[in-house]
Amino acid sequence: MKLNKRVTFLVFIVLGYQSTFAQKPSSVEVTDQKVSKLLAQMTLEEKIGQMNQYNGFWESTGPLPQEESAKLKYEHLKKGWVGAVLNVTGVDNVRRIQEIVVNESRLGIPLLFGSDVIHGYKTIFPIPLAESASWDLKAIEQSARIAAVEAAAVGINWTFAPMVDISRDARWGRVMEGAGEDPFLGAKIAAARVKGFQGESLSFPTSIAACAKHFAGYGFAESGKDYNTVDIGTYTLYNTVLPPFKSAADAGVATFMNSFNVLNGVPATANSFLQRDILKKKWAYRGFVVSDWGSGKEMIDHGFAADLKQVAELSANAGSDMDMESYAYINHLKTLVEEGKVDLKVIDEAVSRILRLKFELGLFDNPYKYCNFKAEKSNLLTPEHRAAALDVAKKSIVLLKNKNNLLPLKKSQKNLAVIGVLASDKNSPLGNWRLAATDSSAVSVTDALSAAKISYSYAKGVELVYGKTNFPDELSINTKDSSEFAQAVALAKQSEVVMMVLGEHGMQSGEGRSRASLTLPGLQQQLLEAVYRVNPNIVLVLMNGRPLDISWADEHIPAIVEAWQLGTSSGTAITQVLFGDYNPSGKLTMSFPRSVGQVPIYYNHFASGRPGPKAEVFWSHYTDESNKPLYPFGYGLSYTEFSYADLQLEEQLSGKLKVSVKLTNKGGRSGEEVVQLFLHDQVASQVRPVKELKAFEKVLLAPGETKLVVFELDSTEFGFYDQYGKFIVEPGEFEIMVGGSSEDLLKKNWTLRK
Ligand code: NOJ
């Protein structure tokens, strides 16, 4: 009886609570109500204004339309005809512009301030491709968090990041901005970056809105040439291109950016299938889509729209909610609505999405939320931020070769020569999209060696050559002048060990920086060979924004370290790895080709019908090159040695598959290993890749320690998207593979039952 009473009481409380709860609208509903209320007060021009984004007056990251003057933009701000600006930073600047709309426009709707905060704002973190090689999701999230803290301190409330484009083509300069070739890892990193930028809630003072870009397929530009055609099949679209975007959407990314490219004949900006059918309907995405810079207008060049008016009609109807720098919406949407070519509902929906974010960021409560002079003074380049940048920089370094354990070097190393212009360059390590970093503010390798009191002698060997305007495009690594070779060679001759720092300068990758060759630029290969002839005891440190063809070096040079462009603390991170303060733990997230002719090259390809070599000629191969990459996806060495044993598969009561493996640190140093799990669906209704990453874990082991590493796979990991975008799981035989790289794996078969 007593118990019954208690139960009745509890039920009463729970129901009572639920009914109070049910009456109280959720925060989403409250925001939606606010949006509708505001929308009802807006004129058509004001609505269209929210869909219009202008570049600020101070900087630019794309070609500026000459005809549009700053004065016109100012007039539009006053009328409330601008929803967002980009490239305006600094509390003072942001405040001045925000004040115009808040004080002078009729409804005072605050602006979004967007910027390309890609790998840090003032404290520069490793380029995203490098960070992905850390396989450390916490460190990656932290890097985005700090970038957001710094961006928020200077007035930015919206970053055009993360870039989540999968790419298999190292010729494409923008691989530096992404997470490599794998959709599974790419999806995890996309979510980590979104969480980092946006924090726990957009309403927090240091949270900024993120933007998953470029939707979609941009990383598959034909022949790796930026802005080029993309023509991919449905399998690749659904299984490779879209998963990182879906993951960003699931992580709550506030916005999406479409892309410059044509996808299977239709420009992404006017692609209703992508933006409406997939993103907004299938994924029920509630954020908004911004166009890429002028990507609307570029549809005229594609031959898809006759004029700017048609650009506006096609883009708006296809679900591109905000126009960045095409001037299509502001000039033509009103007429299009009046002519009935664009429904008012389309406008209302787009504007609601944009307003919703402004409410979520808390801009209506405080339009100057991101205008805090104190934060601007104290939140940039702090010792904590530098320390975090150093931490992820170390973790991003990949040891590619270490013959006879030449590395780590001893700090007491006598007669150490350092050669290469990049060794003393403080600018290149900042990479492209270095945003507010002071020029030449990175710690160079030579700086770091001196700071660590390691004695060395230095020769550049080749110079960086600047063009007339100093515009980065004109910067190159010397292609003609070998006059400094002799000095470098003489130095190498009298040294015990030669450290050569070679690669690409910091602006040689990134947007618009595609390369047709992947070898060391300029005269660096010749320099390397000249030095090698007098002293082969070389540690080659690579700095680059993409995989390079370093086949000659792999054959001849005993130690090779991939050090990418590691940002503010670059030289310190490199020195700590080279001299053994940190045991390298990075693994490649893009395959390194043996020659550019192998590109696109990626580990999760389909098997051909003639995988061979069964016959001398008639199998799928090159007559002059191996099929294998130089270094595969997932590859990276350590100063210690790991061994894998005892791969076990066991079905759990839950139906999940438990996969376990024993990992042992056989060497004399503690170290981290990225344990990777791949699977292969042996026969399916759609040809499946030879292997696909499905789980990973970064494990720290003391010398001699063994750890059982356990993964649990549920049936979704065995599934895939069919050609209609439907996710299916097919029972049958699978190969389960676990190891420390995509090419060095223990294997066992598994039958997935119905
Ligand atoms: C063009 C780039 O493709 C995009 O990624 C960037 O966000 C915009 N320019 C704005 O700078």
Side-chain angles (χ1 to χ4, degrees):
M1 188 62 181
K2 248 187 186 172
L3 185 76
N4 276 348
K5 255 193 191 163
R6 223 179 258 161
V7 170
T8 322
F9 181 64
L10 274 178
V11 169
F12 176 75
I13 294 213
V14 170
L15 289 179
Y17 175 74
Q18 274 182 346
S19 65
T20 331
F21 189 72
Q23 278 162 16
K24 219 175 141 203
S26 67
S27 65
V28 173
E29 285 165 342
V30 171
T31 308
D32 284 350
Q33 282 163 10
K34 288 182 187 165
V35 167
S36 314
K37 211 168 144 200
L38 181 54
L39 197 67
Q41 299 169 47
M42 294 170 78
T43 63
L44 180 56
E45 284 94 336
E46 284 165 344
K47 289 178 182 174
I48 293 167
Q50 287 303 306
M51 299 168 70
N52 181 33
Q53 180 180 35
Y54 283 146
N55 183 55
F57 314 121
W58 289 273
E59 283 172 64
S60 108
T61 49
L64 275 174
Q66 298 303 315
E67 73 274 15
E68 298 297 336
S69 68
K71 199 167 156 248
L72 177 94
K73 291 179 180 177
Y74 178 59
E75 288 307 314
H76 286 186
L77 286 169
K78 284 203 293 190
K79 288 183 181 162
W81 287 4
V82 186
V85 292
L86 75 149
N87 294 330
V88 176
T89 57
V91 167
D92 205 28
N93 291 332
V94 168
R95 199 177 178 99
R96 263 192 295 143
I97 294 191
Q98 194 73 295
E99 272 171 359
I100 301 172
V101 293
V102 170
N103 299 335
E104 301 188 41
S105 74
R106 194 177 73 90
L107 294 169
I109 300 173
L111 293 165
L112 291 172
F113 288 84
S115 188
D116 291 284
V117 184
I118 307 291
H119 55 116
Y121 179 74
K122 192 83 181 171
T123 309
I124 301 299
F125 284 77
I127 56 168
L129 179 64
E131 272 190 1
S132 70
S134 74
W135 297 60
D136 188 327
L137 299 176
K138 286 234 160 63
I140 291 171
E141 182 179 332
Q142 175 71 352
S143 146
R145 182 83 290 274
I146 291 171
V149 167
E150 294 198 355
V154 298
I156 295 165
N157 52 33
W158 180 23
T159 176
F160 303 128
M163 188 275 225
V164 303
D165 298 314
I166 298 296
S167 183
R168 299 161 168 176
D169 196 328
R171 293 170 298 183
W172 191 51
R174 299 196 79 167
V175 298
M176 54 95 31
E177 281 175 65
E181 71 192 37
D182 183 65
F184 180 85
L185 180 62
K188 299 272 180 222
I189 290 178
R193 291 203 165 120
V194 170
K195 279 187 216 147
F197 287 128
Q198 299 194 168
E200 274 172 49
S201 159
L202 283 173
S203 65
F204 289 2
T206 61
S207 291
I208 62 175
C211 180
K213 72 186 188 186
H214 305 84
F215 199 58
Y218 186 40
F220 280 75
E222 273 180 4
S223 59
K225 196 168 61 179
D226 208 1
Y227 317 120
N228 206 8
T229 306
V230 175
D231 197 74
I232 52 173
T234 47
Y235 185 89
T236 304
L237 178 68
Y238 288 119
N239 292 283
T240 305
V241 170
L242 294 182
F245 286 101
K246 175 73 167 61
S247 167
D250 291 345
V253 72
T255 64
F256 265 55
M257 182 185 289
N258 56 38
S259 50
F260 293 124
N261 58 282
V262 163
L263 178 73
N264 303 339
V266 181
T269 311
N271 203 310
S272 182
F273 162 70
L274 285 173
Q275 299 173 125
R276 290 224 180 271
D277 300 351
I278 293 188
L279 180 64
K280 293 180 179 174
K281 285 202 193 106
K282 199 166 169 192
W283 297 354
Y285 180 66
R286 282 169 57 85
F288 74 84
V289 182
V290 61
S291 80
D292 201 345
W293 179 299
S295 62
K297 195 171 175 186
E298 289 177 14
M299 296 198 297
I300 301 172
D301 297 285
H302 284 301
F304 193 78
D307 51 29
L308 210 54
K309 186 173 172 196
Q310 202 185 2
V311 165
E313 179 185 345
L314 293 170
S315 323
N317 283 334
S320 180
D321 302 306
M322 186 182 276
D323 172 6
M324 182 197 289
E325 277 289 324
S326 273
Y327 299 83
Y329 288 0
I330 196 68
N331 287 321
H332 299 288
L333 263 189
K334 186 167 177 257
T335 319
L336 287 163
V337 173
E338 285 160 1
E339 287 172 359
K341 290 188 175 144
V342 174
D343 201 304
L344 191 57
K345 275 196 203 132
V346 168
I347 308 288
D348 283 351
E349 188 218 296
V351 178
S352 301
R353 289 171 181 272
I354 295 162
L355 293 178
R356 194 181 294 138
L357 176 60
K358 294 184 177 185
F359 277 109
E360 284 168 353
L361 285 168
L363 292 176
F364 285 98
D365 297 328
N366 179 10
Y368 309 106
K369 177 184 162 197
Y370 297 89
C371 296
N372 181 335
F373 286 108
K374 222 171 113 200
E376 188 173 41
K377 280 220 173 72
S378 58
N379 281 4
L380 307 184
L381 209 59
T382 64
E384 294 77 41
H385 294 182
R386 275 179 178 279
L390 173 61
D391 178 61
V392 65
K394 286 187 294 197
K395 291 172 171 165
S396 304
I397 293 174
V398 186
L399 179 62
L400 297 175
K401 188 175 172 192
N402 194 17
K403 198 171 161 197
N404 302 329
N405 295 326
L406 178 56
L407 290 173
L409 299 172
K410 290 200 183 66
K411 286 189 184 149
S412 56
Q413 174 70 51
K414 294 261 161 4
N415 289 331
L416 172 67
V418 178
I419 293 173
V421 65
L422 293 175
S424 59
D425 185 6
K426 294 150 84 78
N427 219 13
S428 284
L430 300 172
N432 205 331
W433 296 118
R434 78 259 313 262
L435 221 63
T438 310
D439 271 346
S440 297
S441 60
V443 179
S444 68
V445 171
T446 48
D447 281 347
L449 290 172
S450 305
K453 303 210 169 14
I454 293 162
S455 67
Y456 65 93
S457 304
Y458 178 54
K460 279 189 185 169
V462 286
E463 294 285 347
L464 286 175
V465 184
Y466 288 85
K468 271 182 257 139
T469 61
N470 257 5
F471 191 71
D473 268 350
E474 292 192 38
L475 183 68
S476 65
I477 291 177
N478 201 341
T479 50
K480 291 190 193 101
D481 181 4
S482 58
S483 59
E484 290 182 46
F485 271 34
Q487 196 195 344
V489 169
L491 176 63
K493 214 170 183 172
Q494 69 197 34
S495 304
E496 270 177 35
V497 178
V498 185
M499 184 194 300
M500 294 193 73
V501 185
L502 306 178
E504 299 178 315
H505 70 71
M507 297 304 270
Q508 213 152 4
S509 55
E511 188 181 344
R513 273 83 168 183
S514 296
R515 291 183 61 198
S517 139
L518 291 176
T519 50
L520 291 167
L523 292 177
Q524 294 178 104
Q525 179 64 32
Q526 287 89 323
L527 177 69
L528 178 62
E529 291 182 29
V531 169
Y532 175 80
R533 279 194 286 274
V534 298
N535 188 346
N537 210 25
I538 295 174
V539 174
L540 172 60
V541 177
L542 293 167
M543 280 189 186
N544 40 299
R546 51 157 69 81
L548 293 177
D549 161 8
I550 49 155
S551 299
W552 186 90
D554 178 66
E555 208 177 304
H556 297 89
I557 305 299
I560 307 177
V561 173
E562 176 53 76
W564 314 108
Q565 287 141 355
L566 295 173
T568 301
S569 304
S570 170
T572 315
I574 294 169
T575 304
Q576 291 191 4
V577 165
L578 295 183
F579 290 87
D581 296 322
Y582 180 77
N583 187 357
S585 64
K587 302 266 187 180
L588 297 178
T589 58
M590 265 192 99
S591 309
F592 271 45
R594 287 172 189 274
S595 69
V596 73
Q598 288 183 315
V599 170
I601 183 164
Y602 51 101
Y603 84 95
N604 48 356
H605 56 83
F606 291 154
S608 79
R610 295 190 176 193
K614 286 181 188 140
E616 263 186 18
V617 177
F618 303 111
W619 63 290
S620 180
H621 74 302
Y622 300 104
T623 54
D624 57 354
E625 186 57 275
S626 147
N627 278 355
K628 293 217 173 289
L630 184 63
Y631 305 118
F633 174 84
Y635 171 82
L637 305 171
S638 161
Y639 294 151
T640 190
E641 209 188 312
F642 295 100
S643 72
Y644 288 77
D646 205 13
L647 176 63
Q648 298 289 344
L649 309 180
E650 195 189 314
E651 189 169 340
Q652 304 294 91
L653 284 176
S654 61
K656 287 185 180 175
L657 174 64
K658 180 174 156 194
V659 180
S660 64
V661 72
K662 276 188 193 140
L663 177 72
T664 302
N665 179 350
K666 295 201 307 183
R669 272 172 185 269
S670 69
E672 285 164 288
E673 168 74 333
V674 181
V675 181
Q676 303 155 50
L677 184 153
F678 300 85
L679 58 79
H680 170 52
D681 188 348
Q682 293 185 332
V683 181
S685 60
Q686 152 81 50
V687 174
R688 307 291 311 284
V690 292
K691 56 190 79 151
E692 294 174 280
L693 183 73
K694 288 295 168 185
F696 64 90
E697 194 183 330
K698 197 163 185 175
V699 185
L700 173 68
L701 288 188
E705 189 183 349
T706 296
K707 195 177 166 191
L708 190 71
V709 181
V710 180
F711 298 103
E712 283 203 341
L713 301 180
D714 65 31
S715 62
T716 53
E717 303 300 359
F718 294 81
F720 62 96
Y721 291 94
D722 70 8
Q723 57 177 317
Y724 306 105
K726 192 167 158 247
F727 191 77
I728 49 175
V729 181
E730 292 180 346
E733 287 294 302
F734 286 81
E735 230 178 338
I736 311 288
M737 298 163 262
V738 180
S741 120
S742 62
E743 277 189 9
D744 186 9
L745 297 159
L746 298 179
K747 296 181 186 170
K748 260 199 175 162
N749 278 14
W750 175 253
T751 310
L752 184 71
R753 289 179 283 113
K754 269 195 189 153

